[in-house]
Amino acid sequence: MEEQAMLARDLVLRVCAGATELDPQWIRADGKVTTPFLVPRDRNLVRAVIAAGRSMGVERLLVCRTRPEFSYEPVTEIPLHTDTLIDLVRGWGPDPTDFLVCVEDFSAAVLITADDLTVAAGPADFVRELVGADIPQARAHFASRAEIEKTPDLVRAAALYRCSGAGPRRAPGPDLYERVAAGADRVRSGRAARGLRALRGAAGWTALAVAAIAPLAVSAVAAPVLPAVVTLFAVLFQLALLARSRTVAFASLLRVAALGALLLWPMGLAERAVAGALGADTYDVVPYTYVAVTVEEVGKLLPLLLLPLVAPRRARRLAAVDFALLAAASGAGFQLAEHLVTALAVGGSGGGGWFLPGGSELVDRGTGAVVAVFSGHAVTTGLVGAALGLAVVGRGRWLWALPPLAVLLAFLEHLNLNAVLAGAALHPASGVVLGLLGGGRLTPFLLVVLVLCAVALDYRLIATAAESTPPLPGLPPLAGLRRRARGRAVATRVRVPGDIATGFRRAALAWAELPVTLTTTLAMIVHELAACTIAARRGPAVLGDNWRFLRQRRANAMGEARSAGRPWRHHPSQEDLTRTARELARRLGLAATGGVTAMAGAAAVAVAVVPVAAPGVPAGEPGYALLALERFQTWFGGLSAFDAVWAAVLLCAVLLLLVSGNGVPRAHPDMRDFLRSPSANGGAVLGMLAPGQVVYAAVGLAGLLLPRSADRLLVR
């Protein structure tokens, strides 16, 4: 507070819309969590207010009365001591009055009315100290009290703070994705589910066996195909493991990868049509570079760009990292198709390296110099998706400079590869721009940086959606670290002058908020991992349910945060998600605890290709969808009938490995029944152990070996 004492009217005008109402504009700023509740004005309430202040890491609070007759009284600064606040309130006289307790930077406040109505607003940590860990339950309880008592003040408060049950907004209907998901749930709960799971497992292992032995059975196959499939799984697994805030299942990513692989054929035909329209030979420099790169870079993004059309409700629940994962999955599928048909026809591999594999280097065989570096379709397309996700979810104007930069880098990197393969080279100006953007070597690391930024952005938004998101089991960890970060942020924001230039002020406030964002992200990741560890001790079934709940919880939180007050659709429903959260808390031995209530200019750089002498590069290197497609057609046309059948079965097996049997198992056999009659339970075991589910089962079984001390990672 300034040296000159702040008057009560100044503080009230910043935070309140009236003596008993918080200002909606102040609430919307910084995504504050707001909860009204009914509680007696006693020592317990004061203790909770002081505890809420401690959760913000501050040493003092601002207190004032909110009624107009007290507007010219000075605001009182009090330390975080229960008796001090009680003595201050008693000093105002025997008649109850409305008063406000606020943090110094106005980021959190508690409005206590003369009646039992109290309203808390601020970060989720602040509100939890007052209403308990289950904020949605507290809001629903207040709404039901308002509906029962019909008191005008309570009804108005329930409507003003948008509590559940108070004037519900009409949610939009289900989209295609949700209808398909509902149909799949009905099939899983039907009588034929067990047999279908066993059939899926058997088909998956058969497909894996076919992919392994087909190169031995078909003499015309130039190279094994499993390395290309393993490369796809490896790159998507690494990205999914890094993207802790994702709401898309790994099985869905592999299905998108299958769609990306199937896009090789229409993209090859599109390249042939465009080259024909230009009157150029398909293997000239222009079709090999400009046409091929443009068609492929746009085509790889089609699954992501078409998602809002076929599943608009699901698209509203996407996190920022989901954009990167879906784009990378489509690029990885296209990359698999190119490498696969090239391996079948002329040999080759799926790309070396262990970190985001699938890239390639072109080396001049004469000099040994690296003439082109391509980080792979999965990485370049994922980079564009990550930039797009940050711009769409972050909603910052400067963030929209990232997608053009990412597109420029992906375009130049791909263009450089195809130009070298076509016996040409980039224009010197384009080469300089590519060099400034890393030349292809830095692209995987740039993708990692953008994904980490997207994770921080996602968890920051998820934290603001605590009003409708069921809490995770147990108390959030790292409370001391979060208190120190919030205290530093409050102290920094208080010192930022209000009369400096807007740009400098925003930069200073963003710098002050950065530690809070990072600590919130770290705490939520640790909380989820701790819950998974405790669930793993209780077996694969509990662990699988916990994994699904975490993903669905993040999706609904993102839907709430991105809706910005507009109607949106829960999936699963709010009631089902809350029921699942409480059931998991019971199964984990945890329960919710209660409070006092139970860049564009760079894109304009000229991109040109200059024909040069072709260096000696590997002949089997894929770089042109039409070339890969024509190689495959020529190879397939020369096969005997027996080999052609094997080749067709091989391609179907690869697609089957991508689209089926990669999700978290939903049904697990009872070990007691299995030991008594293993043959009768063989189908159940096969149903949960499709090739893509072995890792889930291994992690679940390994969790049974964890010590009992793992249960102490979280407390009630």
Side-chain angles (χ1 to χ4, degrees):
M1 195 166 61
E2 294 83 2
E3 294 182 1
Q4 182 179 359
M6 176 186 290
L7 296 180
R9 64 174 184 179
D10 300 328
L11 179 56
V12 171
L13 288 176
R14 290 173 182 262
V15 177
C16 298
T20 60
E21 293 179 0
L22 295 177
D23 187 4
Q25 292 185 355
W26 174 79
I27 292 173
R28 285 193 294 269
D30 301 325
K32 297 181 181 66
V33 177
T34 309
T35 303
F37 56 97
L38 297 173
V39 65
R41 291 166 52 115
D42 56 10
R43 181 175 288 271
N44 290 331
L45 175 59
V46 176
R47 288 198 191 101
V49 171
I50 298 302
R54 291 196 182 97
S55 71
M56 296 294 293
V58 297
E59 298 179 353
R60 53 189 176 271
L61 296 170
L62 307 181
V63 185
C64 72
R65 290 187 277 187
T66 59
R67 294 182 181 178
E69 56 265 31
F70 307 117
S71 297
Y72 290 94
E73 288 186 354
V75 173
T76 305
E77 267 186 337
I78 64 167
L80 296 180
H81 194 274
T82 302
D83 291 335
T84 303
L85 181 54
I86 291 176
D87 292 340
L88 175 63
V89 174
R90 286 176 177 172
W92 289 334
D95 296 331
T97 184
D98 312 310
F99 67 97
L100 178 73
V101 182
C102 187
V103 179
E104 287 180 284
D105 66 340
F106 317 117
S107 60
V110 182
L111 179 59
I112 303 174
T113 67
D115 301 322
D116 290 343
L117 175 62
T118 303
V119 186
D125 287 339
F126 181 86
V127 178
R128 286 193 195 104
E129 295 292 340
L130 290 154
V131 303
D134 199 341
I135 296 175
Q137 184 183 27
R139 290 169 55 84
H141 178 70
F142 179 83
S144 64
R145 285 284 301 272
E147 186 176 357
I148 292 172
E149 297 184 10
K150 303 292 185 181
T151 305
D153 291 342
L154 299 187
V155 173
R156 177 174 173 80
L160 177 64
Y161 304 118
R162 297 188 293 111
C163 295
S164 60
R169 298 164 292 172
R170 184 177 181 180
D175 56 21
L176 178 61
Y177 166 84
E178 293 172 353
R179 294 190 184 97
V180 172
D185 289 337
R186 288 192 295 270
V187 172
R188 294 188 189 102
S189 60
R191 295 181 179 179
R194 189 169 182 173
L196 291 175
R197 290 191 181 100
L199 179 62
R200 180 193 61 194
W205 287 109
T206 302
L208 186 62
V210 168
I213 68 175
L216 304 177
V218 183
S219 58
V221 173
V225 300
L226 278 182
V229 180
V230 171
T231 297
L232 180 142
F233 273 80
V235 67
L236 291 184
F237 177 77
Q238 291 179 19
L239 287 175
L241 193 64
L242 189 66
R244 299 307 312 159
S245 59
R246 65 184 174 92
T247 70
V248 178
F250 187 72
S252 299
L253 295 180
L254 293 176
R255 295 187 186 103
V256 173
L259 178 59
L262 295 175
L263 287 175
L264 175 70
W265 179 70
M267 280 195 276
L269 296 181
E271 290 169 357
R272 177 182 295 167
V274 174
L278 295 176
D281 185 81
T282 54
Y283 300 116
D284 286 344
V285 173
V286 172
Y288 211 112
T289 54
Y290 291 115
V291 175
V293 173
T294 302
V295 170
E296 292 173 17
E297 291 302 322
V298 173
K300 289 183 296 181
L301 288 172
L302 283 179
L304 177 61
L305 299 178
L306 294 178
L307 181 64
L309 298 179
V310 298
R313 317 302 180 208
R314 182 64 182 95
R316 289 276 296 273
R317 299 191 298 270
L318 288 180
V321 294
D322 294 334
F323 288 79
L325 292 176
L326 292 173
S330 177
F334 179 79
Q335 177 176 279
L336 169 67
E338 273 197 338
H339 285 149
L340 186 60
V341 299
T342 303
L344 291 173
V346 298
S349 65
W354 62 270
F355 175 61
L356 299 181
S360 58
E361 289 185 354
L362 298 185
V363 180
D364 192 326
R365 291 175 178 172
T367 63
V370 177
V371 294
V373 177
F374 184 59
S375 53
H377 291 291
V379 173
T380 55
T381 312
L383 184 73
V384 176
L388 190 61
L390 285 170
V392 171
V393 178
R395 297 177 183 173
R397 292 182 180 178
W398 63 273
L399 290 175
W400 282 102
L402 293 177
L405 281 175
V407 170
L408 179 65
L409 175 57
F411 188 83
L412 286 177
E413 192 175 326
H414 194 179
L415 189 69
N416 186 41
L417 174 76
N418 282 26
V420 174
L421 291 174
L426 286 182
H427 187 278
S430 303
V432 170
V433 175
L434 179 60
L436 293 175
L437 295 176
R441 297 185 182 277
L442 295 181
T443 307
F445 302 98
L446 293 176
L447 174 58
V448 169
V449 170
L450 289 188
V451 168
L452 292 178
C453 291
V455 169
L457 172 63
D458 290 338
Y459 277 118
R460 179 176 178 272
L461 291 178
I462 290 172
T464 65
E467 292 180 357
S468 64
T469 306
L472 293 172
L475 291 178
L478 306 179
L481 181 63
R482 286 182 283 115
R483 279 197 301 268
R484 287 191 291 272
R486 291 195 183 279
R488 178 189 177 277
V490 171
T492 303
R493 282 194 290 258
V494 168
R495 292 196 298 267
V496 175
D499 56 351
I500 62 175
T502 303
F504 290 111
R505 179 173 173 79
R506 289 179 178 173
L509 294 178
W511 176 254
E513 187 66 20
L514 180 61
V516 177
T517 301
L518 296 180
T519 54
T520 299
T521 299
L522 179 62
M524 296 185 74
I525 292 175
V526 171
H527 197 169
E528 291 182 350
L529 292 178
C532 290
T533 303
I534 297 173
R537 271 206 72 245
R538 284 151 177 82
V542 180
L543 180 60
D545 292 342
N546 189 69
W547 276 335
R548 277 188 292 271
F549 165 72
L550 293 179
R551 185 166 45 81
Q552 292 170 351
R553 177 182 179 273
R554 290 192 292 261
N556 279 272
M558 289 303 302
E560 174 67 26
R562 292 183 58 191
S563 66
R566 299 186 301 271
W568 66 286
R569 182 175 178 82
H570 289 269
H571 184 80
S573 66
Q574 181 78 1
E575 294 77 12
D576 291 342
L577 194 64
T578 301
R579 190 182 308 112
T580 303
R582 293 173 181 171
E583 177 65 17
L584 271 176
R586 183 190 62 80
R587 296 165 74 181
L588 299 183
L590 300 167
T593 55
V596 293
T597 67
M599 186 178 62
V605 175
V607 179
V609 176
V610 181
V612 296
V617 297
E621 185 67 36
Y624 190 9
L626 179 57
L627 175 60
L629 185 62
E630 291 185 348
R631 280 176 175 173
F632 176 76
Q633 291 173 343
T634 302
W635 171 81
F636 190 81
L639 296 178
S640 63
F642 176 81
D643 289 346
V645 171
W646 263 104
V649 171
L650 172 61
L651 295 179
C652 293
V654 172
L655 286 177
L656 181 62
L657 289 174
L658 294 181
V659 302
S660 175
N662 299 294
V664 178
R666 293 176 179 267
H668 299 80
D670 191 328
M671 289 303 297
R672 291 174 295 182
D673 294 340
F674 179 74
L675 294 176
R676 292 171 182 169
S677 55
S679 59
N681 288 274
V685 174
L686 190 62
M688 65 166 288
L689 288 181
Q693 295 177 320
V694 173
V695 175
Y696 299 118
V699 173
L701 294 176
L704 296 173
L705 304 177
L706 291 172
R708 286 181 175 271
S709 57
D711 290 342
R712 296 196 294 271
L713 292 174
L714 294 175
V715 297
R716 298 188 186 190

